[in-house]
Amino acid sequence: MTVEMRGGAVSDSAYEKKRDFEATPEPRPGKKNARDGAPIFVIQEHDASSRHWDLRLQIDGALVSWAVPKGPSTDPSDKRLAVRTEDHPLEYADFEGVIPEGEYGGGTVIVWDRGEYRNLRADKDDGRDGDGTDMKEALHEGQLEVWLDGEKIRGGYALVHAKLGGDERAWLLVKMKDDEADARRNPTSTEPRSVLSGRTVEQVAEAEREKEAG
Ligand code: MN
């Protein structure tokens, strides 16, 4: 997937081509640039034609994205399918709301988790044997190892370009073995609330219905 970059924002991109910004409340790509300091990640729960969790990692000026049908696991023995989707603009990290039915991705979105992340492949601290590979190279190689510092999701995660069944979009998301691994947690079902608004997907959808009903 080629994404044209202008001033750090995603322009004339797959993201824009898929959307009618007169119809969807999702953000237009803006002027938001890669910030100084640690890059961010966001996990958005998306109750669309089928419910999934969208994992997005800030790599340079964009949010590189995967749709995870079962959501992230905290159990290292789970391998979760992660389907690569189009890069999203940095503005998307704050988006919560209802995409109208019939529009691309129609359904309700909440910011299920977010925080900063570290590239473990670049890292030589904490006793980890990083090899100095930056995120762009790691993405190209199809082997990402990141430390997520979210409110719900923490610790090392690997994203591997597995190309299951020959599908170029198919990656696997796997919790790495570390102190944050926990086979008993199941945060996608026990911690359903937005870290931004405290609302569930159902509450956001209900609020939108009430607003439309006037
Ligand atoms: Mn989605």
Side-chain angles (χ1 to χ4, degrees):
M1 177 185 313
T2 344
V3 170
E4 215 176 305
M5 309 290 287
R6 283 185 206 141
V10 181
S11 296
D12 294 335
S13 60
Y15 176 84
E16 283 181 281
K17 290 193 179 114
K18 286 172 186 287
R19 289 170 174 82
D20 172 4
F21 292 101
E22 301 300 319
T24 180
E26 295 164 287
R28 289 174 196 265
K31 296 251 158 28
K32 207 164 186 174
N33 275 299
R35 285 170 274 190
D36 293 334
I40 60 146
F41 80 96
V42 63
I43 301 171
Q44 280 156 318
E45 185 176 349
H46 186 183
D47 187 16
S49 50
S50 61
R51 188 177 300 228
H52 59 272
W53 285 258
D54 288 300
L55 168 64
R56 312 187 198 282
L57 298 173
Q58 179 189 344
I59 300 179
D60 296 337
L63 294 172
V64 177
S65 298
W66 292 262
V68 185
K70 291 186 174 172
S73 175
T74 54
D75 180 351
S77 67
D78 285 338
K79 291 182 170 64
R80 294 279 161 95
L81 174 66
V83 180
R84 180 92 185 264
T85 57
E86 77 278 14
D87 292 356
H88 281 46
L90 293 183
E91 286 82 0
Y92 210 88
D94 300 321
F95 175 68
E96 209 165 87
V98 178
I99 303 166
E101 236 175 276
E103 297 303 313
Y104 177 72
T108 309
V109 176
I110 61 166
V111 178
W112 184 78
D113 199 13
R114 70 173 180 180
E116 296 180 342
Y117 82 86
R118 283 188 293 134
N119 172 14
L120 293 174
R121 294 195 60 186
D123 236 344
K124 289 177 168 49
D125 302 330
D126 301 336
R128 296 207 176 259
D129 304 317
D131 57 8
T133 304
D134 71 24
M135 285 296 285
K136 242 182 168 160
E137 289 166 35
L139 184 66
H140 186 70
E141 288 176 11
Q143 175 78 38
L144 304 178
E145 291 170 22
V146 291
W147 184 274
L148 303 179
D149 252 322
E151 293 183 34
K152 299 170 186 171
I153 294 297
R154 289 175 297 272
Y157 279 82
L159 263 164
V160 181
H161 196 183
K163 303 180 197 175
L164 303 171
D167 186 348
E168 274 297 318
R169 302 177 310 150
W171 293 58
L172 288 173
L173 175 67
V174 187
K175 177 76 194 77
M176 294 164 76
K177 289 177 185 159
D178 54 41
D179 288 349
E180 301 291 350
D182 186 345
R184 293 159 306 178
R185 279 184 73 206
N186 189 9
T188 50
S189 48
T190 61
E191 299 171 55
R193 290 177 184 280
S194 162
V195 295
L196 266 194
S197 66
R199 297 181 300 174
T200 63
V201 147
E202 288 73 20
Q203 288 169 332
V204 170
E206 178 60 25
E208 182 72 15
R209 278 194 295 272
E210 281 170 11
K211 200 171 82 185
E212 276 173 13

